[in-house]
Amino acid sequence: MTPGLSPVQLIEKHRATLDQALEALRSRAYWSPHPEHPKAYGEDGSLSAAEGQSAFDALRGTRFALDQPGTDDWPATESSPYGIPMDIAYPHPDPDVLLPAMRAAMPAWREAGPETRAAVCLEILARISARTHEFAHAVMHTSGQGFMMALQAGGPHAQDRGMEAVAYAYLEQVRTPDSADWSKPQGKRDPLTLRKQFTPVGRGVSLLIGCNTFPTWNGYPGLFASLATGNPVLVKPHPRAVLPLALTVRITREVLTEAGFDPNLVALAAERDGEGLAKELAVRPEIRIIDYTGSTAFGDWLETHARQAVVHTEKAGVNTVVVDSTDDYQGMLANLAFSLSLYSGQMCTTPQNLLIPRTGIATDEGEKSYDEVVSDLAGAVGTLLGDDARAAGVLGALVNPQVTERLDAAASLGEVALPSRALTHPDFPGATVRTPLILKLEAAKPEAEAAYLAECFGPVSFAVAVDSTEAAVELLRRTVREKGAMTVGAYTTSPEAERLVEDACLEECAQLSLNLTGGVYVNQTAAFSDFHGSGGNPAANAALCDGAFVANRFRTVEVRRPA
């Protein structure tokens, strides 16, 4: 964007993209303006692969300056899961200085209106997209994702989710007209007439509490939903994953300034090690909206204590796959193997529990016993990850030592069907890379139940032997109801079994994928078409994205006058 580009010019530049996004929401068809392939970048002002690497390297060992008020310290808390030094210091805020400055930025942003706010947000996303290669390294070295996943999930897929939130926010705000002439007949007397104005008004400062594993993908929906509905956003990244969101804040502030708005509409709040800044900020009266991704314990705390705010949480769940039967046994095994392996199971959507009848399943290769299914799945994972260089790209690195400790402790929870092995990353020997662990458990045993009904975040899966498909569906129901689930999968050739699983997911409010055997996986969702989470079970109280995710971030204020 040329400095000084007016709101009218911004709208002209981005209106067609906004219209396409709105149409995609309506049709739920595939659409993305952000290319996935690395070679798509490097022209038209976007950074090439080499330029992105250089930009990332130049940030290491520096102070990440942001011209925002109230900075009182410069903590540096990141450590790359790949073992390279980061040593980037970020501004720590004095909330008593920063929050009033953010609130002071609201009136002009409110008066700009939904269309201008949407256009500014789309310009921010376009700027971020042009630096996708830089963001890829930032996400990779804070989350532990493999480079290609970091580029795609941390880049275009995250940008898609941000744009989706902008489109939903615009749609909800313009549902009510700007103004209306109202006339009530009075019989023989003159009618009562009023001129009414309707203005969407943001609730106040929005607090984004970022996560370690998907800082942009999970962060952008809340950030852009709040900004597009008229709210300032205070970005509090996870202390191990600051850089991707710090870059986002810097770009956002630049665009806001060039568009003639106060850059303090968006600010960064980096925290010191062990400080617990999110807990302090979350209960301040200025904070009126909170978006959080992370542990159930802190999500529950926010929902209980941050009573002055609308709180959106994505917490832990126990994702389940029901295996009843299949007409593509090898496709099922390959699909599940990739789902279990991708990013070392460190996705909130990765399957954990595989419910398999102990009597076996029907397949296109004949009947397969429970033991055969588990053994063949272990073999499929082994085949997928047999080449260490390829495996490193699929697995990435374990994001923190707690995941490694959890993985090592899990081996004693059941019979090991596939042991986890350590790999040496070909490019980053300091990375901790581990293959998935698969354990066999009996559903009815109390000690097994304690294991599979708890989330075991990381590359750990349980092949749970159940009495029947009907028993599997009942266990699925209980799991979703008590523990929550971001995803549910099922494999069946039986219409009756399919109906049982579908009814369970409809009644317990969980997103279901059936018979995935190709290049679509249960732990992946597409913006503008798929809903991430449902907001209807304990894993999350909101869905990314739907109208409910944005509608409560603003209120419509009416002013009426005699016509």
Side-chain angles (χ1 to χ4, degrees):
M1 184 176 74
T2 302
L5 202 63
S6 72
V8 171
Q9 291 170 312
L10 275 176
I11 291 169
E12 182 180 350
K13 179 178 179 180
H14 293 291
R15 183 68 225 197
T17 300
L18 178 60
D19 288 341
Q20 287 179 293
L22 293 169
E23 174 57 23
L25 293 183
R26 186 200 64 78
S27 69
R28 314 309 293 187
Y30 171 76
W31 177 72
S32 171
H34 304 115
E36 292 182 315
H37 200 283
K39 293 183 179 178
Y41 302 91
E43 298 179 356
D44 300 323
S46 64
L47 297 183
S48 67
E51 290 168 335
Q53 176 77 68
S54 296
F56 168 73
D57 289 338
L59 292 168
R60 294 164 55 199
T62 67
R63 176 175 284 192
F64 195 97
L66 289 172
D67 184 20
Q68 61 184 45
T71 297
D72 59 12
D73 197 4
W74 292 89
T77 55
E78 292 165 312
S79 177
S80 169
Y82 288 94
I84 68 169
M86 298 284 282
D87 300 323
I88 306 173
Y90 301 95
H92 178 279
D94 177 349
D96 291 333
V97 176
L98 180 57
L99 289 173
M102 298 184 74
R103 284 182 55 83
M106 287 186 70
W109 190 235
R110 178 186 68 238
E111 292 168 10
E115 189 173 27
T116 294
R117 288 195 293 269
V120 171
C121 288
L122 295 189
E123 178 64 27
I124 295 165
L125 286 164
R127 294 276 193 96
I128 292 170
S129 178
R131 293 168 64 174
T132 288
H133 272 286
E134 181 182 4
F135 273 84
H137 291 286
V139 171
M140 176 181 179
H141 286 288
T142 53
S143 71
Q145 294 176 31
F147 177 77
M148 186 57 70
M149 183 177 185
L151 185 138
Q152 293 181 339
H157 297 172
Q159 296 152 22
D160 285 350
R161 283 296 184 193
M163 186 173 290
E164 178 185 44
V166 172
Y168 266 117
Y170 175 79
L171 190 63
E172 291 299 324
Q173 290 174 98
V174 301
R175 195 178 297 280
T176 301
D178 293 337
S179 61
D181 290 320
W182 182 86
S183 178
K184 179 180 178 181
Q186 292 264 82
K188 294 182 179 180
R189 290 178 293 171
D190 292 337
L192 299 173
T193 58
L194 292 173
R195 178 70 172 172
K196 303 182 180 184
Q197 293 177 306
F198 305 98
T199 303
V201 175
R203 283 182 168 270
V205 180
S206 179
L207 175 64
L208 170 63
I209 304 174
C211 68
N212 196 173
T213 49
F214 288 90
T216 55
W217 198 99
N218 277 105
Y220 282 5
L223 191 163
F224 284 100
S226 283
L227 191 60
T229 50
N231 304 281
V233 183
L234 180 57
V235 179
K236 205 298 294 180
H238 191 284
R240 294 193 188 98
V242 185
L243 183 57
L245 291 178
L247 285 168
T248 302
V249 170
R250 176 179 279 175
I251 292 168
T252 301
R253 291 175 64 86
E254 290 171 355
V255 171
L256 287 167
T257 300
E258 293 174 8
F261 297 101
D262 190 333
N264 293 323
L265 283 164
V266 176
L268 187 74
E271 67 177 313
R272 307 178 186 98
D273 272 328
E275 179 183 8
L277 181 60
K279 185 174 284 190
E280 175 190 339
L281 292 171
V283 295
R284 288 189 63 109
E286 301 97 332
I287 300 300
R288 304 303 304 277
I289 303 166
I290 297 174
D291 289 282
Y292 166 77
T293 301
S295 71
T296 296
F298 191 56
D300 289 346
W301 187 93
L302 288 169
E303 291 169 359
T304 301
H305 292 89
R307 295 185 176 275
Q308 84 292 349
V310 175
V311 180
H312 305 96
T313 60
E314 181 188 314
K315 302 177 288 189
V318 177
N319 301 318
T320 300
V321 176
V322 174
V323 183
D324 168 75
S325 53
T326 180
D327 57 7
D328 184 0
Y329 186 59
Q330 294 304 318
M332 179 189 78
L333 294 174
N335 192 280
L336 284 174
F338 189 80
S339 295
L340 299 181
S341 302
L342 183 61
Y343 186 31
S344 301
Q346 298 172 118
M347 303 175 70
C348 63
T349 49
T350 300
Q352 175 178 297
N353 295 344
L354 311 175
L355 309 185
I356 307 167
R358 63 172 48 84
T359 54
I361 67 170
T363 81
D364 55 320
E365 298 181 9
E367 293 289 326
K368 298 288 184 179
S369 69
Y370 164 83
D371 287 331
E372 286 177 312
V373 174
V374 178
S375 176
D376 291 345
L377 177 58
V381 173
T383 298
L384 173 68
L385 305 177
D387 177 77
D388 283 6
R390 179 172 188 248
V394 173
L395 295 167
L398 297 190
V399 67
N400 58 53
Q402 289 73 34
V403 177
T404 309
E405 293 165 6
R406 193 179 302 117
L407 170 60
D408 291 338
S412 64
L413 297 175
E415 179 186 343
V416 176
L418 178 67
S420 176
R421 65 186 181 93
L423 305 180
T424 299
H425 197 287
D427 300 317
F428 300 99
T432 301
V433 185
R434 299 284 294 274
T435 64
L437 170 70
I438 300 178
L439 299 169
K440 296 166 72 172
L441 298 175
E442 281 286 338
K445 292 185 177 180
E447 63 273 18
E449 183 176 289
Y452 65 69
L453 282 182
E455 187 198 32
C456 191
F457 181 77
V460 179
S461 297
F462 302 117
V464 183
V466 294
D467 290 336
S468 63
T469 297
E470 291 75 14
V473 174
E474 285 308 305
L475 179 53
L476 166 65
R477 282 182 178 274
R478 179 188 173 194
T479 303
V480 176
R481 186 183 307 127
E482 295 180 5
K483 305 298 180 179
M486 295 300 293
T487 59
V488 174
Y491 290 89
T492 182
T493 58
S494 162
E496 293 78 14
E498 182 175 319
R499 188 71 236 175
L500 282 175
V501 176
E502 189 172 348
D503 284 346
C505 289
L506 290 169
E507 290 164 17
E508 303 301 337
C509 209
Q511 311 293 16
L512 172 63
S513 298
L514 286 165
N515 298 318
L516 298 182
T517 57
V520 176
Y521 303 94
V522 67
N523 39 351
Q524 297 174 320
T525 58
F528 303 104
S529 186
D530 295 321
F531 293 103
H532 174 74
S534 69
N537 68 65
N541 71 5
L544 304 181
C545 285
D546 60 9
F549 184 70
V550 302
N552 211 16
R553 296 172 191 264
F554 71 95
R555 282 291 180 261
T556 302
V557 176
E558 177 183 355
V559 177
R560 53 187 185 172
R561 302 176 176 87

